[in-house]
Amino acid sequence: MSDPVPESGRGPGRVGAAGARRRGRTVLLAALTVTALLGGVAVALNLPSGDERPDGKGVTATSDAAVPGSAPTASTGKTPSPRRSTTPSASPSAKAPKASATADDTPTAAPRASTTPPVSAAPPLAITTHPYAWQDPCSQHYLIDRPPADVSPPPLEQDAPAWVDVHHAVSSGEQYVTFTVQGTGNETVVLEQLSVRMAGKRSPLAWNDYAMGYPGVGCGGGVPDRSFTVALDAMRPAPVPVAGSRDFPFKVSRTDPEVFRITADASAYDVSWYLELQWSSGTRHGTMRIDDSGRPFHTSGNNGRPAYAFPLGGEKWEAATGTN
């Protein structure tokens, strides 16, 4: 019996060839897959390490899962593999003990006000000056650049400053100055020295001389303690204690003041002058000026000047017997 002829030209030869082609494609695809995998591995092996960028700049590797206590190395900045610690991890409170509440932990507070009273810059002294005091009613004379008809009768001693201002008078022959020194605090103040300072020296004023008081009535008086004389005509005038009076230094306080009396005389000059008082109290010391309300004292010689006096019960100035 003859063999059947395959339909549509199919036969064992064709089926084998087709199967071979399919197996070839499968092998090729497998080979390509393996090649692709090997290429990926090669690319992965050639990629830069985790601590370097493609541009060559180093970066620090970080990990969200880093173990506490690990630190980057000094050379590359890589985080080494953590080792299991054999020491129990300390709690946060053990690592950083709580700071005690001390004054150093609080903001700096403003300094407290000192309870010690500040030292005053003002001298611890008060000085009251009377530049137109009278040693006795008849002792004081004034030079005035007015005729007798234009001069008021002699004032009382307490009214002398106003009378002098109205007549623009200048102490004549001598000037009697008194001043009181008193402490202003609790401390004792030592009055170390009294000096005379010259502000000007000129020829005597060519004015008329008027005597205060009334001749022969209530004149004369004693010399109190703390009295000094000053010769204004001298080259260097200085206070000199009157006989029976002691010299500086003195001590004063708030409850123990001192009264000083200065008789300054001039005959050959018209002199402007003032006093300086040196004081000390503990570590403090200084000098205070004594004058006529900010102006120098003014005393002029009266030798040869026309002299006038006001008789008791009289109504006008009359020429005094003799001249100065």
Side-chain angles (χ1 to χ4, degrees):
M1 194 174 169
S2 60
D3 295 333
V5 178
E7 297 180 2
S8 302
R10 294 177 179 177
R14 291 183 177 275
V15 172
R21 286 194 296 270
R22 286 195 296 272
R23 286 193 298 271
R25 287 197 296 270
T26 301
V27 172
L28 179 60
L29 290 174
L32 291 174
T33 301
V34 171
T35 302
L37 291 175
L38 292 175
V41 171
V43 172
L45 292 176
N46 291 327
L47 284 176
S49 61
D51 60 342
E52 294 182 330
R53 295 177 180 175
D55 57 2
K57 296 183 179 180
V59 296
T60 302
T62 60
S63 174
D64 293 339
V67 177
S70 63
T73 62
S75 58
T76 64
K78 294 182 180 179
T79 302
S81 300
R83 296 180 181 179
R84 184 179 300 277
S85 174
T86 58
T87 304
S89 176
S91 64
S93 60
K95 291 181 179 179
K98 294 183 179 180
S100 60
T102 63
D104 294 337
D105 298 326
T106 59
T108 303
R112 294 182 179 179
S114 174
T115 56
T116 303
V119 177
S120 173
L125 294 174
I127 299 179
T128 304
T129 307
H130 300 282
Y132 302 107
W134 296 352
Q135 190 169 0
D136 64 70
C138 301
S139 64
Q140 188 60 56
H141 291 232
Y142 293 103
L143 290 172
I144 302 175
D145 191 20
R146 295 184 184 184
D150 293 339
V151 178
S152 302
L156 299 174
E157 181 180 359
Q158 61 267 29
D159 299 327
W163 190 90
V164 167
D165 287 342
V166 169
H167 295 87
H168 303 287
V170 174
S171 296
S172 173
E174 66 180 21
Q175 184 167 357
Y176 189 61
V177 176
T178 68
F179 61 93
T180 303
V181 183
Q182 184 174 14
T184 57
N186 297 326
E187 68 272 19
T188 298
V189 183
V190 178
L191 310 181
E192 298 181 347
Q193 185 178 359
L194 184 67
S195 304
V196 178
R197 294 288 180 259
M198 305 300 290
K201 183 179 285 189
R202 302 159 295 271
S203 298
L205 296 173
W207 298 352
N208 295 328
D209 182 89
Y210 296 88
M212 299 296 99
Y214 303 94
V217 179
C219 296
V223 177
D225 293 339
R226 312 311 190 237
S227 295
F228 298 81
T229 61
V230 176
L232 295 175
D233 290 336
M235 183 66 67
R236 294 183 178 179
V240 177
V242 174
S245 296
R246 53 167 289 198
D247 202 354
F248 283 82
F250 295 93
K251 292 182 180 181
V252 297
S253 65
R254 183 186 298 173
T255 58
D256 188 20
E258 287 281 2
V259 179
F260 298 92
R261 297 168 175 85
I262 308 296
T263 303
D265 64 82
S267 60
Y269 297 98
D270 171 25
V271 183
S272 298
W273 58 284
Y274 58 91
L275 299 169
E276 285 185 343
L277 180 63
Q278 297 181 24
W279 61 270
S280 64
S281 179
T283 59
R284 303 179 60 192
H285 59 87
T287 301
M288 294 188 69
R289 172 168 164 159
I290 302 172
D291 55 24
D292 182 6
S293 300
R295 302 171 298 179
F297 302 123
H298 192 179
T299 311
S300 176
N302 59 357
N303 291 340
R305 303 314 308 155
Y308 295 90
F310 205 98
L312 182 62
E315 296 181 357
K316 62 179 181 179
W317 291 93
E318 297 180 359
T321 56
T323 58
N324 294 317

